[in-house]
Amino acid sequence: MKIIPMLSLLCLSTLSFCTAKPGEPQDSGFLGQDTLITGTPPEPVALPTPIEIVIEKELLYDQHTLADTYPYKDTTREFQWDKIRAGLRLLDSIQQKPSRWAIFQNYRNKNGEAPLVRKFHRDAYKRVSDTLGIERYQSVPLYLPEDTLIAERYGRDGALVKLLDDNNRLFRIQTIYTNGEWLVPGKYVKPIADSVTFDKAIFVDVTNQNIATLEHAGSKWLVRSMNPATTGQHRPPYAQETPLGIFVVQEKKARMIYLVDGSKETGGFAPYASRFTNGGYIHGVPVNAPRKSLIEYSPTLGTTPRSHMCVRNATSHAKFVYDWAPVNETIVFVFD
């Protein structure tokens, strides 16, 4: 069965997309480890030629700002502008033709626990995931068009998708991060208003532990901030990696309360939290109970993954994101 990631289609559609200009790094592509799909891809279509992506720095938030490259211990870290440019090119390309957009939603299984998929794995903590490692909890079942009895795999809460048909109980959708066509029960799909244009994007780099915000203005994408961040670590059963993908900011909480692991006891709060997938928020430095006052910065920011799934920021930067990024209109790219 042939597998066609979205960016591969874009590369095939125009040489200018995959060929760097003199002196400009070549796009390595945005899609990460979750690029393989088991569903039947849609018929190839003639995609519009992507416009040139021009990125300029015009910061709106200028605290704790990182350089394009910067030292970290005995290595050098960087903002991967080639991957950021590829993400923006993908975002521009998918918006060149009128489309209906939607978000997968099943935070805390509020729309019902997804059924078991055809092939699944159960770990030592009895948590179920599909063959790509996407957990059943808080996820959405994806059915192949030719088999609507047993789900094939799971889709992540918060993922941006294209809504192709919502006239039946099972909505026909196209995933963006992985180019595939699926049928999904309508209760898991939230349509986005037709008037929405995705002009703001947040890029979270789990390899370099940094975050950049960009805003589309005229013919350019303007960099609004460049900051250190700390993403999720693999420490089951409570902590897990920040998942790779293309998500939408879904809700905001001025104070996101969290519990002590394995209990119902309040552990503290994370300020200025913007949720984009499952329990994954972009937020400020956590404040452990009984403390109540905010903490601006932590020396662990920009070092190694250590959160439960969230993306930690300096608190003032989290507030900037909280104020700047509108719900249902801001795209979050998480890449490695």
Side-chain angles (χ1 to χ4, degrees):
M1 184 174 294
K2 192 173 182 180
I3 299 168
I4 309 176
M6 177 64 80
L7 280 185
S8 296
L9 283 174
L10 292 178
C11 289
L12 291 172
S13 67
T14 169
L15 291 176
S16 64
F17 178 83
C18 293
T19 304
K21 295 181 177 180
E24 180 183 30
Q26 182 172 340
D27 286 329
S28 60
F30 176 78
L31 298 183
Q33 64 185 17
D34 187 21
T35 57
L36 297 182
I37 63 174
T38 54
T40 303
E43 290 296 321
V45 295
L47 295 175
T49 301
I51 62 174
E52 180 183 9
I53 299 298
V54 178
I55 298 176
E56 293 185 0
K57 294 180 183 177
E58 192 172 305
L59 302 183
L60 294 179
Y61 174 89
D62 60 1
Q63 300 180 54
H64 316 295
T65 302
L66 296 172
D68 289 337
T69 60
Y70 53 94
Y72 175 70
K73 293 186 176 181
D74 58 349
T75 63
T76 298
R77 285 188 170 173
E78 63 177 343
F79 282 87
Q80 300 188 71
W81 293 114
D82 55 344
K83 293 186 178 181
I84 291 174
R85 183 174 284 106
L88 294 175
R89 192 170 280 133
L90 172 59
L91 189 57
D92 276 356
S93 179
I94 65 176
Q95 293 189 94
Q96 286 189 42
K97 290 185 177 181
S99 299
R100 299 177 64 195
W101 301 106
I103 311 170
F104 281 161
Q105 289 195 330
N106 198 24
Y107 180 49
R108 295 182 176 176
N109 283 351
K110 69 177 184 179
N111 293 321
E113 182 180 38
L116 287 173
V117 293
R118 187 181 311 279
K119 295 180 180 180
F120 63 87
H121 170 72
R122 195 185 304 272
D123 66 16
Y125 304 97
K126 298 183 179 180
R127 299 174 75 112
V128 171
S129 60
D130 66 15
T131 55
L132 295 181
I134 301 177
E135 287 198 348
R136 178 188 192 185
Y137 178 58
Q138 302 188 101
S139 287
V140 171
L142 307 183
Y143 293 86
L144 294 171
E146 61 269 22
D147 183 356
T148 60
L149 295 179
I150 302 177
E152 187 70 17
R153 56 164 292 190
Y154 296 121
R156 296 191 189 277
D157 170 80
L160 174 69
V161 299
K162 182 181 291 188
L163 182 56
L164 303 177
D165 185 2
D166 61 355
N167 291 321
N168 300 297
R169 182 183 64 85
L170 294 177
F171 289 6
R172 189 163 61 93
I173 63 91
Q174 181 180 344
T175 49
I176 304 302
Y177 182 61
T178 55
N179 182 42
E181 188 174 306
W182 305 90
L183 296 179
V184 180
K187 65 180 181 179
Y188 297 108
V189 181
K190 178 183 177 179
I192 298 175
D194 293 342
S195 58
V196 168
T197 300
F198 301 117
D199 288 330
K200 293 184 176 181
I202 301 169
F203 287 84
V204 176
D205 185 337
V206 301
T207 298
N208 290 279
Q209 295 290 284
N210 59 43
I211 182 172
T213 61
L214 291 94
E215 183 172 0
H216 194 241
S219 60
K220 304 175 182 177
W221 281 91
L222 303 178
V223 180
R224 296 311 198 183
S225 64
M226 299 168 57
N227 282 82
T230 299
T231 60
Q233 65 173 319
H234 181 74
R235 185 170 56 82
Y238 303 112
Q240 54 188 298
E241 300 93 332
T242 306
L244 307 183
I246 302 175
F247 306 98
V248 182
V249 173
Q250 299 182 72
E251 67 171 324
K252 299 179 182 180
K253 297 178 181 178
R255 293 192 174 198
M256 187 269 288
I257 305 298
Y258 56 83
L259 304 178
V260 176
D261 285 347
S263 76
K264 295 183 179 180
E265 178 186 352
T266 298
F269 71 91
Y272 304 113
S274 302
R275 189 174 69 83
F276 59 95
T277 183
N278 295 1
Y281 293 78
I282 296 170
H283 62 65
V285 178
V287 178
N288 292 328
R291 180 178 176 133
K292 296 182 179 179
S293 58
L294 299 180
I295 302 170
E296 166 59 11
Y297 195 84
S298 168
T300 62
L301 291 174
T303 58
T304 58
R306 59 187 64 224
S307 79
H308 281 61
M309 180 189 282
C310 297
V311 182
R312 297 181 189 175
N313 291 247
T315 296
S316 59
H317 186 252
K319 185 178 186 306
F320 165 73
V321 172
Y322 185 91
D323 294 335
W324 172 82
V327 170
N328 297 334
E329 299 179 22
T330 305
I331 301 298
V332 178
F333 293 86
V334 182
F335 64 103
D336 57 10

